[in-house]
Amino acid sequence: MKLPLNSVKKYAQLPANTQESIDILANRVGEVESFRNLADKYKDIVIAQIKEKQEHPDADKLTIYIVNIGDKEDIQVVAGDKNLEIGDKVAFIQPGGVVPSSYDTKPFQIQAVKMRGEMSNGMLCSEKELDIGPNHENVLKLPEDAPIGEAFADYYELNDTVVEIENKALTNRGDLFGILGLSRELAGAQGIKFISPNWYQEYQINLEPKNVCLNMDVDNQAQALCQRYCAIAMTDIEMKESPIWLKSILIRSGIKPINIVVDITNYLMIVTGQPLHVFDFDKVIKTDTDQADMAHLVIRTANSGEKIHALDGNVYELNDRHLLIANSEHPIAIAGIVGGVDTQIDSNSKSIILESANFDRYSLRRTSMDLGTVTEASTRFTRSQSPQLCNLIIAKAVELITELTGAKLATTLIDLYPTIQEPKTLSLNTNKLREILGVDITDEEVIKILDNIEYKDIELKDEYLTVTVPPFRQDIEIEEDIYEDIIRIYGYSKIEPILPKRDITATSMPDITKLKNSIRDILSNSGCNELLSYSFTSIEFLNSIKQDVDNCLKIKNPLSKELELMRSSILSSLLEKAKLNTQNGIRTFSIFEMGIPHQKDVLDEENLPLEEWRLALLFTDSSKQIEGNPYFQAKRYLEKVLNNFNVGIVEYELLADVDFEKLPKWLKDLSGSFEFNSSAIVWARVGGSKIDLGIVGEITSEVKSNLSIYSFTSAFEMNLNKLLLIKDSRFNKALESRYPYITQDICFVVPNKVTYKELLDNVEKSVGGESIVFEIECIDIYKESDSRNITLRISLSNLEKTLRDKDFRKIRERISKNLEKKNISMIQ
């Protein structure tokens, strides 16, 4: 929400110091994101008058203008607009000045330059260059009374500080999305009574037309979603330029002027927080096939598959969750969000329908999220506006349109308000108030605070205070809501910090937190970078990484279509970030994340989705300097973690050899992202049981191709809750030998029907024996059509003597002989 501070002065007194106003907003209202003085943006622009006009001798599309800015000497400027005439007033940037539209991005400084041989000493500005409108083809012509030589910022009232307040801080405060609401808070914080304008409290004009010359009816078929709907038609509108004051306040509020009628509705929206919409009356009839002389407005939910071409240029496909404004046949607006192109007003519009309505905030937010569009109107409606004010604000709109365009009423006001919202009356205990807030505030101070921010009918009897909640405060439901109002206006800084009167014993850190902290240290010290990503993903992305979409929980009200599923693995998030990093040219990286994924139909003992912590790591490299299968790179990181926690017997079973149907659901889902012949299921053996810890290996070629990531990419994902159960368990470990090890790499040609585990078991039996200790590590797997080449690194030692080469040869022969039965051969 952008608040121009000068606009507050019309309704409330401001502190003398601008910084004090900003501090009040930051400390009493919500988080201030930024603030700036707009005068800096327009400081180099002055009002000039065209004195002479000449054709450019060497360019048909350029014109030479002689302008005066109040100095004795005139200035020559070359411009691309040939429509200016002598006497016109324009906005002029002198050499050295910055074009306002470029001020916030990459400032463009004007220089004195020759244009096709003629000197141009500055620039004549269009609306777009001034950042006040969309027109960039023509130079902006200022009104005849614009004073020559005056600063453009002074004339357009742009010498103002604009404060931007974080929208999330105003979640339930629809009134604070208007200048009136923020002015009220500023006044209350200074101890000044705020009084809303009369038109905001009661009718100030007669809404009965002298002559009903247009026909219109409204049918509210969705009363549960539209609590109140006001509409009135006006005719004989003169579509002319908006006055400077109106354009100025819109510009300062971050809204570009469009045309006089739309500008008036936008002005009332930023003043009150209540969005208005306007339809072209003749276009509503033209697009309707029911009757030619009657404008029909129908408030209803959309039919599934119904479409509307909206003012933002998009064509939206709708369903029965979306609320519409329609005529007898077709949608003409998505209620509370955006209007349709077919009924928009333009420079030729003569008759209009003005709308002021109250829509269900929750329904409107779902529609906004479904369609992936957020507008100024939807932002305000989702914060809850008051149905009690719809008629008053449309009356003010009628008054301004009549005054500024010469329009007249063409119908009576249609006001559909079936269930009138009665004023809320609440009571609060002032003693309880002081106890809960922890401040010594008097009853008189409480009454003054509430009176200053327009609570009504305040009565004190004993320690009980009864108040009527003002209609613009839709967020007030219980007495504690009023407590919050009181302490905010009174000042949080006045709460004296006092230590608790009872002892507080710190709780010990949960084991899972200790485990995660240790893993974080291990992997960070190994050069890995930790991520913290959203738990949401999309159907398209899961399909691209070959993970089961049907295994995911679907979100009923997603933030967008790209975030409609809960992730079922942590690896999915890492793959998404790997794609982004690769696109940004990062050639080598290792990333990890710890989080809780969710799987559909995997429940705990309370029939809630099972929540277990998992760790995932991904490594990728484009340098081609790392040799071997990518599997081993991920395995090294995994073993750093496992070895640190003294996990005893760990087994790696080739994914291609696993009985897939017996795998847990989470591993089945993960396996789709891994190459079956260069990935393994990780088991921990505890007693006679095997516990599935996770999966490690190379990412499939298809996934790497889909994401455009490097070919040397591997990853692992493991269950931290299971690791926590078995970590630090003591197992019988191989005896350590004091004699040196002999190490050799042996390559085996293994038929596809023989599993990796069968190979490993046979090799272990062949090398084992009395006094022999050994370590066997798989360092490479190469897939042929009907076999695999598996390279094992075998390290042997004897507990009693030093082994010789001839001892190792005997063991090789024994291995070869034992493996002949399995049709496994050794490459010499």
Side-chain angles (χ1 to χ4, degrees):
M1 172 62 192
K2 291 183 178 180
L3 176 67
L5 289 181
N6 282 351
S7 62
V8 174
K9 296 176 182 177
K10 183 177 179 180
Y11 306 104
Q13 178 181 329
L14 278 177
N17 189 308
T18 299
Q19 186 59 49
E20 189 177 344
S21 297
I22 295 168
D23 290 341
I24 289 174
L25 291 169
N27 297 326
R28 312 286 180 91
V29 179
E31 181 182 352
V32 171
E33 284 193 321
S34 63
F35 62 91
R36 69 172 182 179
N37 190 339
L38 282 183
D40 294 338
K41 185 174 179 178
Y42 295 96
K43 65 181 179 181
D44 302 314
I45 305 175
V46 296
I47 297 172
Q49 186 176 37
I50 307 294
K51 291 294 186 180
E52 295 181 26
K53 177 180 179 180
Q54 306 169 11
E55 292 294 328
H56 194 291
D58 197 29
D60 293 339
K61 294 184 178 180
L62 298 178
T63 302
I64 300 171
Y65 293 101
I66 308 298
V67 302
N68 183 270
I69 58 172
D71 297 335
K72 292 182 179 179
E73 295 185 4
D74 294 335
I75 302 169
Q76 177 173 301
V77 185
V78 178
D81 186 354
K82 302 176 71 69
N83 298 317
L84 296 175
E85 300 296 340
I86 295 173
D88 285 344
K89 306 285 183 67
V90 293
F92 173 68
I93 306 180
Q94 301 181 75
V98 174
V99 178
S101 61
S102 71
Y103 186 84
D104 296 321
T105 52
K106 189 176 180 180
F108 180 75
Q109 192 174 55
I110 297 300
Q111 304 292 338
V113 295
K114 280 190 175 182
M115 298 181 69
R116 300 293 294 269
E118 295 293 332
M119 201 69 189
S120 181
N121 299 294
M123 177 181 180
L124 307 183
C125 302
S126 67
E127 278 187 354
K128 188 169 184 179
E129 289 155 348
L130 290 167
D131 204 25
I132 63 173
N135 189 319
H136 64 89
E137 296 177 354
N138 303 108
V139 172
L140 174 66
K141 294 182 182 180
L142 300 178
E144 294 180 1
D145 63 354
I148 302 171
E150 181 174 313
F152 179 80
D154 291 340
Y155 182 67
Y156 255 75
E157 301 178 5
L158 295 172
N159 287 319
D160 194 359
T161 298
V162 177
V163 183
E164 185 161 4
I165 304 171
E166 165 60 57
N167 283 354
K168 294 183 181 68
L170 312 176
T171 301
N172 295 315
R173 292 292 303 274
D175 61 307
L176 295 188
F177 279 84
I179 293 170
L180 279 177
L182 292 168
S183 300
R184 187 181 295 109
E185 298 287 311
L186 281 164
Q190 299 174 78
I192 300 171
K193 180 175 175 59
F194 184 85
I195 300 175
S196 291
N198 290 334
W199 58 264
Y200 194 68
Q201 301 182 59
E202 58 185 5
Y203 276 126
Q204 298 295 301
I205 65 168
N206 182 8
L207 293 181
E208 291 295 329
K210 294 180 180 178
N211 177 32
V212 176
C213 56
L214 297 177
N215 297 318
M216 177 178 68
D217 66 6
V218 179
D219 180 13
N220 187 356
Q221 298 176 5
Q223 293 183 11
L225 302 180
C226 178
Q227 189 172 350
R228 189 174 192 179
Y229 194 89
C230 297
I232 195 167
M234 302 182 74
T235 192
D236 293 345
I237 290 174
E238 182 185 352
M239 298 295 287
K240 56 185 180 180
E241 193 85 2
S242 293
I244 294 298
W245 69 265
L246 180 54
K247 285 185 175 182
S248 174
I249 192 170
L250 292 177
I251 294 165
R252 286 178 282 144
S253 300
I255 297 176
K256 291 184 179 180
I258 298 174
N259 59 54
I260 182 111
V261 175
V262 174
D263 291 351
I264 289 170
T265 60
N266 283 337
Y267 165 69
L268 287 173
M269 178 181 69
I270 63 175
V271 169
T272 66
Q274 169 68 39
L276 302 171
H277 189 67
V278 59
F279 303 98
D280 186 303
F281 184 94
D282 296 319
K283 291 179 181 179
V284 172
I285 292 177
K286 183 179 179 181
T287 58
D288 199 335
T289 58
D290 193 30
Q291 275 182 285
D293 61 347
M294 170 80 75
H296 298 280
L297 295 184
V298 181
I299 303 104
R300 61 173 174 84
T301 53
N303 300 316
S304 184
E306 206 166 10
K307 294 181 180 180
I308 182 172
H309 187 188
L311 289 171
D312 59 10
N314 295 317
V315 176
Y316 294 103
E317 185 169 341
L318 310 169
N319 60 46
D320 58 6
R321 298 206 316 173
H322 304 150
L323 187 65
L324 294 178
I325 311 300
N327 56 24
S328 300
E329 297 290 332
H330 310 291
I332 59 175
I334 304 173
I337 298 178
V338 64
V341 167
D342 293 341
T343 56
Q344 68 175 321
I345 64 168
D346 54 37
S347 58
N348 298 317
S349 297
K350 296 299 180 184
S351 301
I352 63 168
I353 300 172
L354 193 61
E355 167 197 282
S356 177
N358 185 265
F359 302 112
D360 180 75
R361 58 186 297 196
Y362 304 107
S363 170
L364 195 144
R365 185 179 186 278
R366 281 196 301 270
T367 300
S368 180
M369 294 299 100
D370 283 349
L371 303 179
T373 183
V374 177
T375 62
E376 291 285 349
S378 69
T379 297
R380 287 165 169 81
F381 274 125
T382 55
R383 267 66 181 188
S384 190
Q385 297 297 323
S386 171
Q388 299 179 61
L389 301 173
C390 291
N391 57 335
L392 298 177
I393 295 169
I394 200 172
K396 183 62 177 177
V398 167
E399 180 184 3
L400 288 173
I401 293 172
T402 302
E403 176 186 338
L404 298 178
T405 73
K408 62 183 181 182
L409 290 175
T411 67
T412 57
L413 176 68
I414 297 176
D415 186 358
L416 304 183
Y417 193 15
T419 307
I420 297 175
Q421 186 183 90
E422 298 296 336
K424 300 173 192 170
T425 300
L426 293 175
S427 294
L428 58 100
N429 186 314
T430 54
N431 291 332
K432 180 183 175 184
L433 164 73
R434 284 183 277 270
E435 181 182 348
I436 290 178
L437 297 183
V439 294
D440 188 18
I441 184 172
T442 65
D443 292 348
E444 290 72 21
E445 287 176 305
V446 170
I447 292 171
K448 183 179 179 182
I449 287 172
L450 295 177
D451 184 51
N452 286 346
I453 56 176
E454 297 196 291
Y455 278 82
K456 304 297 182 183
D457 306 323
I458 304 172
E459 294 183 6
L460 178 65
K461 186 175 182 180
D462 298 327
E463 72 270 23
Y464 289 95
L465 192 67
T466 303
V467 299
T468 298
V469 179
F472 49 80
R473 292 301 303 276
Q474 295 292 295
D475 60 305
I476 302 295
E477 297 289 345
I478 56 177
E479 63 176 297
E480 283 76 9
D481 293 331
I482 302 178
Y483 293 174
E484 181 185 345
D485 261 1
I486 293 167
I487 192 59
R488 189 182 65 255
I489 300 300
Y490 185 69
Y492 294 116
S493 60
K494 296 180 182 178
I495 301 176
E496 184 181 351
I498 301 173
L499 291 173
K501 295 181 180 179
R502 63 180 183 181
D503 293 334
I504 296 177
T505 303
T507 58
S508 60
M509 186 180 293
D511 291 339
I512 190 69
T513 304
K514 294 178 184 176
L515 178 70
K516 290 190 293 175
N517 289 342
S518 298
I519 291 172
R520 188 172 287 114
D521 291 340
I522 294 165
L523 294 178
S524 297
N525 292 335
S526 301
C528 304
N529 293 294
E530 184 177 8
L531 302 183
L532 181 61
S533 56
Y534 286 120
S535 297
F536 314 124
T537 187
S538 67
I539 293 174
E540 291 76 12
F541 186 77
L542 285 185
N543 285 332
S544 71
I545 65 172
K546 314 308 292 182
Q547 291 190 14
D548 190 1
V549 172
D550 295 331
N551 195 29
C552 297
L553 294 170
K554 189 168 185 179
I555 301 170
K556 287 185 177 180
N557 57 337
L559 295 173
S560 69
K561 290 188 177 181
E562 289 73 35
L563 302 171
E564 61 182 326
L565 299 179
M566 296 290 289
R567 64 182 177 184
S568 59
S569 71
I570 306 300
L571 179 62
S572 62
S573 297
L574 297 189
L575 286 168
E576 186 177 1
K577 300 308 177 188
K579 176 183 178 181
L580 181 62
N581 285 337
T582 304
Q583 288 173 345
N584 288 333
I586 303 175
R587 303 180 64 82
T588 301
F589 55 88
S590 182
I591 52 179
F592 72 95
E593 181 175 356
M594 290 176 281
I596 300 176
H598 297 83
Q599 290 180 291
K600 188 177 180 180
D601 301 327
V602 179
L603 307 176
D604 59 17
E605 60 275 5
E606 297 180 2
N607 285 327
L608 297 174
L610 181 66
E611 294 193 332
E612 291 183 320
W613 281 93
R614 291 201 216 149
L615 161 69
L617 177 142
L618 181 142
F619 176 87
T620 189
D621 177 72
S622 67
S623 65
K624 299 182 180 179
Q625 295 179 358
I626 301 177
E627 298 180 355
N629 193 294
Y631 160 80
F632 299 105
Q633 189 67 27
K635 185 169 179 277
R636 290 187 189 101
Y637 286 114
L638 175 62
E639 289 183 337
K640 281 187 178 184
V641 175
L642 297 178
N643 293 338
N644 187 76
F645 298 119
N646 297 322
V647 177
I649 302 173
V650 177
E651 298 178 359
Y652 298 89
E653 187 173 0
L654 192 67
L655 193 54
D657 298 337
V658 173
D659 186 346
F660 191 77
E661 293 304 318
K662 293 184 179 180
L663 283 179
K665 189 174 181 180
W666 71 282
L667 287 176
K668 286 181 184 178
D669 188 34
L670 270 170
S671 64
S673 299
F674 289 90
E675 291 284 2
F676 270 49
N677 289 300
S678 53
S679 302
I681 301 297
V682 185
W683 306 94
R685 190 173 291 280
V686 179
S689 302
K690 288 169 61 177
I691 296 177
D692 52 289
L693 284 182
I695 187 171
V696 59
E698 182 182 5
I699 301 300
T700 69
S701 299
E702 183 178 359
V703 170
K704 289 183 285 191
S705 175
N706 291 340
L707 303 183
S708 300
I709 58 179
Y710 302 122
S711 59
F712 195 98
T713 301
S714 58
F716 71 77
E717 183 160 331
M718 63 185 302
N719 188 312
L720 294 185
N721 289 80
K722 292 183 178 180
L723 177 61
L724 186 63
L725 289 175
I726 63 174
K727 89 177 187 68
D728 293 327
S729 298
R730 301 304 176 187
F731 298 92
N732 293 326
K733 297 188 178 181
L735 297 173
E736 292 294 330
S737 173
R738 61 191 179 94
Y739 295 98
Y741 280 77
I742 296 179
T743 301
Q744 287 190 13
D745 294 346
I746 304 176
C747 184
F748 300 89
V749 180
V750 184
N752 285 337
K753 65 180 181 179
V754 179
T755 67
Y756 171 80
K757 189 174 186 308
E758 289 176 306
L759 169 66
L760 186 61
D761 288 345
N762 277 278
V763 173
E764 287 179 348
K765 290 176 183 177
S766 302
V767 300
E770 290 186 8
S771 302
I772 294 292
V773 294
F774 61 86
E775 294 179 2
I776 301 175
E777 179 185 4
C778 178
I779 61 171
D780 192 33
I781 300 175
Y782 179 75
K783 180 77 170 62
E784 297 283 359
S785 59
D786 56 354
S787 64
R788 289 162 290 156
N789 291 354
I790 300 177
T791 303
L792 299 181
R793 179 164 291 164
I794 303 175
S795 300
L796 302 177
S797 181
N798 194 301
L799 296 173
E800 299 173 352
K801 63 177 183 178
T802 299
L803 289 176
R804 308 291 181 183
D805 286 341
K806 63 179 182 179
D807 298 319
F808 204 107
R809 281 197 298 272
K810 290 179 181 179
I811 292 174
R812 282 176 62 102
E813 291 170 1
R814 191 160 66 238
I815 294 172
S816 179
K817 184 177 180 179
N818 289 340
L819 292 177
E820 285 179 1
K821 302 172 186 178
K822 297 284 185 180
N823 293 323
I824 300 174
S825 60
M826 293 169 50
I827 298 176
Q828 300 299 322

